[in-house]
Amino acid sequence: MTSLPTLAPPLSRLVGLLPKPPASVALTLLARRIAARHPEIISRLGVHANASFALDPTDLPVVMILTLPAGQPRIRLQKDASGADCRIAGKLSALLALVHGAVDGDALFFSRDLVIAGDTAAALALRNAIDNAELDLLEEIQHVAPPLARALAPVAAALERQTGVALRRASGVI
């Protein structure tokens, strides 16, 4: 395993206290905006666009279930991965590093920092689609809620420096 940072327990507990329905709506809106800006993500999923994906940050007390009914992303927060076709699990820092291209997904898998269960073909299709889109979540938030993105930018930069967690797109893969 690599030395990816773990979310501090107090922050993890705080996330667990967030009301799931409003957080699910906010994440769904962000995912739909990302899909609108990067439609190739959905098209690259091919036959796996009907799968349900459990994105499981193991240092948080919630799991994000991603579905794509009629090609429109929907994210539902729940306590476990039940009902999902596949599960992609790892520390939040590993999942964010994967999204931002800060580390190679294969390296995360082979180091066991990322665990895939269930329909591995669907999980791989999602990983490849996201990798190909070269996402930057802060940039995506900028397009959804510019004032929020402006407020988050200095906080994100400080958090990146202090924790080593990739909160924006990397310039190269390590």
Side-chain angles (χ1 to χ4, degrees), residues 149-168:
R150 281 191 296 277
L152 286 177
V155 174
L159 283 172
E160 278 183 320
R161 283 191 304 277
Q162 291 178 352
T163 66
V165 175
L167 298 174
R168 38 184 106 190

Side-chain angles (χ1 to χ4, degrees), residues 2 4 94-95 97-98 103-114:
T2 59
L4 291 165
L95 296 171
L98 183 65
V103 295
D104 178 66
D106 292 334
L108 285 174
F109 177 76
F110 289 116
S111 67
R112 298 179 194 249
D113 286 310
L114 199 64

Side-chain angles (χ1 to χ4, degrees), residues 21-37 72-76 140-141 143-145:
S24 295
V25 169
L27 289 169
T28 293
L29 291 174
L30 178 60
R32 287 185 177 174
R33 182 62 183 163
I34 290 169
R37 287 178 34 84
Q72 289 296 310
R74 179 174 181 257
I75 295 178
R76 182 179 75 253
E140 299 303 331
I141 292 170
H143 291 281
V144 175

